[in-house]
Amino acid sequence: MKKTSLSDIAKALGVSKALVSLVLNDRGDEVGINKETQKKVVRMARKMNYKPNMVARGLRLGASKTIGLIIPNIANLFFARIARVIEDEAGKYDYRVMSVSSDENPEKETGLIKVLLERQIDGLILASSLKDRTEIMNLKRDRVPFVLIDRHFPQIKCNYVITDNYHAAYNVVTHLINQGFKKIGLLKITPAYLTPIKLRFEGYRDALHDHGIRFDKRLVKEIPFGGIKNVMEQSLTELLFKPVSADALFFLNNDLTIAGLGVISTLGLRIPQDVAIVSFDDLELFRLLYPPVTAVAQPWQEMAKEAVRILIKEIQSPGKNNNNKTQIMLPARLEVRKSCSKF
Amino acid sequence: MKKTSLSDIAKALGVSKALVSLVLNDRGDEVGINKETQKKVVRMARKMNYKPNMVARGLRLGASKTIGLIIPNIANLFFARIARVIEDEAGKYDYRVMSVSSDENPEKETGLIKVLLERQIDGLILASSLKDRTEIMNLKRDRVPFVLIDRHFPQIKCNYVITDNYHAAYNVVTHLINQGFKKIGLLKITPAYLTPIKLRFEGYRDALHDHGIRFDKRLVKEIPFGGIKNVMEQSLTELLFKPVSADALFFLNNDLTIAGLGVISTLGLRIPQDVAIVSFDDLELFRLLYPPVTAVAQPWQEMAKEAVRILIKEIQSPGKNNNNKTQIMLPARLEVRKSCSKF
DNA sequence: TTGAAAGCGCTAACAA
DNA sequence: TTGTTAGCGCTTTCAA
């Protein structure tokens, strides 16, 4: 059974495609089509189980009503929650979302951008892992509406919505210092060139400095995105025992925290007596761990909402405003729990 | 700057669209097009920053190379992980995934199916919340390739990949009974008509029966999908104190477990001394809770892989095999941890 | 109040 | 070895 198209209906009724199109798009009254005719069309459409072909419509109209979403990994709850909000918000404007995972891999991401553009997405939201800015510059040059989230490129004038990573990290480290911790290990995710990672690192470094603690590079570890499970044990062993002997750990994302907690548990260390813990990214279960894990709660909901709002606005204002880009930095909230209190 | 199309290239080169199309689809040699001409075309395409329009291509070919994915909620890690595997597997065949969240709401899901079909997806994977089977029957009637995952409809002959929910639940309850627990509370998610919920319930009921324990309906609670946080406290209070006094709780999905753990912690109850816990769905952090939470680890990876494999096979074998549907039931693994050991 | 025709960008069949 | 034509399903003129 073939799908029914506009012209099938038109033929069955002995009218023109144009008329059917008008009626089915609720423009019958506007154009002034006979009520009776309209009814006939609608009835026949239902009878023939007509489903409009949005692809054809999109081709004709030059708009797919689809936005692309590039994130490192949909199976990371931070991004999954963002994806969910983006889906809901975009849905309000009748946009659908095609989301893809880049695995923090710039080459893969470049390929995905191409794929999405070829599919004629109307706009793009990226939590980008790109190292190089040329790819983003190309988007600008090609006038593709896009919004960066979570990670941005300071040199590029474009829309973005990010967390205030610097101050969030600064506050974490200040809190730890105030609690009496002095040797604070930092666990970064690779690639370390990502702006959030860099800014969190700077917040860490400056907080130490401002409190008179000398920066010790042995306290900083990088864990590759693809090998967290394998590398974490080694890194923590180096951090937690002599000669480094960290007394607190600051994990820069939730994947790291989860893996780190596993290793600490395996090593039989107590939190916070043997080592204090803070996580960038908050998860519901952190509150229920023993002891509950102190975490930076990022404003993922606002971030996603704003991103969609900005993107849709830009999509719908073709051409103009091409030089007024929106840049938003949202504060994070530090959820202080027992994992970093000095007993 | 307008996007360049095939005919722009053709015009610039003084050749035909067809030729350009052939060359750019790597069919130049096959058809026997002059090497020099081919080079010219490729060079010009690059120079003009040509990007094929997959929407137009799809319209012409009658295939969008897109599959739809309907799940209850992408922000639930069980489904997020599945979505990730589906994305990866589909990508191997050059298919992209458009995923949407139904919120366990049949009306919303019906709308989403319509939206996806209108967008000309080539096939559909559903973790369906539908109550009624008519919608699924319509998919069959319209010859839409589809695969059900996680939830199936026993009366309908179609592709599905599910967990062996009955035996998984049976084993959980048997284990609890063997540990000496007798009053096992069951927390279902609403809608309770979903096959996994029903089958898990039956496994629970039969295990009780086979071990000579009388079924007590006061031990069974239903928590609405949209109101877990609000209702959980009330339900657990009823279950855990007199007159019911459950000594163990079996949560039928991870959202329930997380919420339940929160309430238990608030109530100041100890696990497993005051109440034992088992979760359907395993999360990494469950292992790290105090005590670690016993959980049913579902075969989400195999489920997603199989679903894609079956779907693509069906998409690529048009018409034929219309009556040989694949039905797979995968075993789950019970991860026994301390949360349900009789101290 | 309705219809005819053009065209979005692409590919396949057929011609030359 | 290359070109022409038709048409996928839709919307938008413009004409009747």
Side-chain angles (χ1 to χ4, degrees):
Chain A
M1 193 170 44
K2 226 187 100 303
K3 291 179 195 163
T4 55
S5 72
L6 267 193
S7 59
D8 293 331
I9 301 179
K11 226 169 285 172
L13 249 33
V15 298
S16 75
K17 287 193 301 180
L19 186 148
V20 178
S21 168
L22 259 0
V23 172
L24 262 21
N25 284 309
D26 271 337
R27 296 181 50 200
D29 287 340
E30 175 192 325
V31 185
I33 289 170
N34 192 311
K35 288 279 185 199
E36 278 310 308
T37 320
Q38 293 199 39
K39 282 219 182 93
K40 272 201 313 200
V41 170
V42 172
R43 222 176 293 128
M44 182 58 82
R46 192 177 346 262
K47 183 178 153 203
M48 297 179 77
N49 191 26
Y50 172 70
K51 292 215 175 51
N53 182 332
M54 290 309 185
V55 168
R57 188 169 205 271
L59 177 62
R60 174 65 231 244
L61 261 31
S64 62
K65 283 280 190 175
T66 303
I67 67 181
L69 172 63
I70 297 183
I71 51 180
N73 184 8
I74 190 70
N76 175 321
L77 213 40
F78 175 65
F79 293 109
R81 292 190 288 209
I82 285 180
R84 181 60 213 267
V85 176
I86 289 179
E87 178 191 334
D88 291 349
E89 292 298 312
K92 293 179 185 167
Y93 304 88
D94 254 307
Y95 281 81
R96 303 295 147 187
V97 181
M98 178 162 285
S99 86
V100 292
S101 301
S102 69
D103 286 324
E104 306 282 15
N105 176 341
E107 287 80 40
K108 185 170 178 196
E109 182 168 337
T110 303
L112 291 171
I113 291 175
K114 186 155 157 266
V115 164
L116 291 174
L117 291 179
E118 289 180 354
R119 284 170 177 257
Q120 310 303 118
I121 50 160
D122 296 336
L124 192 51
I125 295 178
L126 322 95
S128 176
S129 312
L130 290 172
K131 182 182 181 87
D132 202 287
R133 22 182 278 223
T134 59
E135 206 62 42
I136 303 291
M137 292 306 288
N138 287 348
L139 291 177
K140 270 195 78 143
R141 180 193 38 143
D142 295 343
R143 296 261 190 286
V144 178
F146 71 97
V147 181
L148 302 179
I149 55 172
D150 188 42
R151 300 114 185 251
H152 74 306
F153 294 78
Q155 319 94 323
I156 303 183
K157 186 171 178 189
C158 63
N159 301 306
Y160 62 74
V161 190
I162 55 174
T163 299
D164 184 352
N165 289 293
Y166 176 85
H167 289 105
Y170 188 98
N171 290 341
V172 164
V173 174
T174 301
H175 180 81
L176 286 171
I177 293 170
N178 288 342
Q179 290 287 311
F181 298 101
K182 294 201 155 55
K183 298 181 141 195
I184 302 169
L186 186 71
L187 288 117
K188 299 181 179 182
I189 189 85
T190 302
Y193 57 74
L194 302 172
T195 48
I197 301 298
K198 276 166 62 177
L199 289 166
R200 291 170 199 174
F201 171 72
E202 287 168 17
Y204 162 87
R205 192 197 51 199
D206 291 358
L208 289 181
H209 177 266
D210 293 353
H211 293 83
I213 298 184
R214 226 177 114 242
F215 172 74
D216 178 352
K217 72 169 190 243
R218 294 175 310 164
L219 282 165
V220 178
K221 295 285 180 190
E222 282 188 19
I223 315 271
F225 172 80
I228 296 179
K229 295 231 169 63
N230 301 326
V231 180
M232 184 58 79
E233 183 159 3
Q234 168 73 14
S235 296
L236 287 198
T237 308
E238 291 171 19
L239 280 175
L240 294 176
F241 302 114
K242 304 201 167 155
V244 181
S245 308
D247 57 7
L249 295 176
F250 183 13
F251 295 99
L252 289 196
N253 82 6
N254 67 57
D255 285 334
L256 292 174
T257 308
I258 294 172
L261 288 170
V263 171
I264 290 168
S265 157
T266 305
L267 293 176
L269 298 175
R270 295 160 309 162
I271 302 170
Q273 294 89 331
D274 297 323
V275 59
I277 295 289
V278 180
S279 169
F280 215 106
D281 285 356
D282 195 16
L283 299 179
E284 252 185 300
L285 281 177
F286 284 170
R287 205 171 53 80
L288 301 172
L289 288 168
Y290 182 77
V293 170
T294 296
V296 175
Q298 291 200 65
W300 47 273
Q301 198 147 12
E302 300 86 316
M303 188 149 77
K305 276 193 185 178
E306 286 298 316
V308 173
R309 194 183 56 72
I310 295 165
L311 184 65
I312 303 267
K313 203 180 67 184
E314 181 150 332
I315 290 174
Q316 295 181 342
S317 71
K320 72 175 169 185
N321 289 343
N322 237 320
N323 276 317
N324 87 24
K325 300 297 181 189
T326 310
Q327 306 180 332
I328 298 179
M329 187 156 76
L330 300 164
R333 210 176 57 244
L334 180 59
E335 295 283 352
V336 176
R337 305 199 183 100
K338 297 269 167 65
S339 71
C340 67
S341 53
K342 194 77 177 188
F343 15 116
Chain B
M1 192 171 41
K2 225 187 99 311
K3 290 179 199 164
T4 55
S5 71
L6 267 193
S7 59
D8 293 332
I9 301 179
K11 227 170 283 171
L13 248 33
V15 298
S16 77
K17 287 194 302 179
L19 187 148
V20 179
S21 168
L22 259 358
V23 172
L24 261 24
N25 285 307
D26 272 335
R27 296 181 49 200
D29 289 337
E30 175 192 328
V31 185
I33 289 171
N34 193 311
K35 290 277 185 200
E36 277 312 308
T37 321
Q38 292 199 40
K39 280 215 183 100
K40 274 200 315 202
V41 171
V42 171
R43 220 175 295 125
M44 182 57 81
R46 198 186 333 271
K47 183 177 154 202
M48 298 178 78
N49 190 27
Y50 172 70
K51 290 214 175 53
N53 182 331
M54 289 310 183
V55 167
R57 189 167 205 273
L59 178 62
R60 174 64 229 241
L61 261 30
S64 61
K65 283 279 189 177
T66 303
I67 68 181
L69 171 64
I70 299 184
I71 50 180
N73 185 6
I74 192 70
N76 175 320
L77 212 41
F78 174 64
F79 294 109
R81 292 191 288 206
I82 285 179
R84 181 61 214 267
V85 176
I86 288 179
E87 178 192 334
D88 291 348
E89 292 297 312
K92 294 180 185 168
Y93 304 88
D94 255 307
Y95 281 81
R96 303 295 147 188
V97 180
M98 178 161 284
S99 84
V100 293
S101 301
S102 69
D103 286 324
E104 306 280 16
N105 176 341
E107 287 78 41
K108 185 168 179 199
E109 181 170 336
T110 303
L112 291 172
I113 292 176
K114 186 155 156 269
V115 164
L116 291 175
L117 290 179
E118 289 180 354
R119 284 168 178 259
Q120 310 304 115
I121 50 159
D122 296 335
L124 192 51
I125 295 178
L126 320 96
S128 175
S129 311
L130 291 171
K131 185 188 180 80
D132 203 288
R133 21 181 279 227
T134 60
E135 207 61 43
I136 303 292
M137 291 306 289
N138 287 348
L139 291 178
K140 270 195 76 142
R141 184 198 38 167
D142 296 344
R143 298 262 189 283
V144 178
F146 71 96
V147 180
L148 303 178
I149 56 173
D150 188 43
R151 300 115 185 250
H152 75 304
F153 294 79
Q155 320 93 322
I156 303 182
K157 186 171 178 188
C158 63
N159 301 307
Y160 63 73
V161 190
I162 56 173
T163 299
D164 184 353
N165 289 292
Y166 177 84
H167 289 105
Y170 188 97
N171 291 342
V172 164
V173 175
T174 300
H175 179 82
L176 285 171
I177 293 171
N178 288 340
Q179 290 287 312
F181 298 101
K182 292 200 157 54
K183 297 179 139 194
I184 303 167
L186 186 73
L187 289 117
K188 299 181 181 182
I189 189 87
T190 302
Y193 57 74
L194 303 172
T195 48
I197 301 297
K198 275 166 62 177
L199 290 166
R200 290 169 200 175
F201 171 71
E202 287 168 16
Y204 162 87
R205 194 197 51 198
D206 292 357
L208 289 180
H209 177 267
D210 293 353
H211 293 85
I213 298 182
R214 231 180 109 242
F215 172 75
D216 178 351
K217 72 168 190 244
R218 294 174 311 167
L219 281 165
V220 178
K221 295 284 181 194
E222 281 187 18
I223 316 271
F225 172 80
I228 295 180
K229 296 233 169 61
N230 300 326
V231 179
M232 183 59 79
E233 181 158 5
Q234 168 73 12
S235 295
L236 287 197
T237 308
E238 291 171 20
L239 280 175
L240 293 175
F241 302 115
K242 303 203 169 159
V244 180
S245 308
D247 57 9
L249 295 176
F250 183 14
F251 295 99
L252 288 196
N253 82 7
N254 68 56
D255 285 334
L256 292 174
T257 307
I258 294 172
L261 288 170
V263 170
I264 290 168
S265 155
T266 306
L267 292 176
L269 299 175
R270 295 161 307 163
I271 300 172
Q273 294 90 330
D274 297 323
V275 59
I277 295 289
V278 180
S279 168
F280 214 106
D281 284 354
D282 194 16
L283 299 179
E284 253 185 298
L285 282 177
F286 284 171
R287 205 171 55 80
L288 300 172
L289 288 168
Y290 182 79
V293 171
T294 297
V296 175
Q298 292 200 65
W300 47 272
Q301 200 147 6
E302 300 87 315
M303 187 148 79
K305 276 193 184 174
E306 285 298 315
V308 173
R309 195 183 54 74
I310 295 166
L311 184 65
I312 304 267
K313 203 181 66 180
E314 181 150 332
I315 290 174
Q316 295 182 341
S317 70
K320 70 176 169 183
N321 289 344
N322 238 318
N323 274 315
N324 88 26
K325 299 297 181 189
T326 309
Q327 308 181 330
I328 298 179
M329 187 156 77
L330 299 164
R333 210 177 55 243
L334 180 59
E335 296 282 351
V336 176
R337 303 194 185 104
K338 296 272 165 66
S339 72
C340 67
S341 53
K342 194 76 176 190
F343 14 118

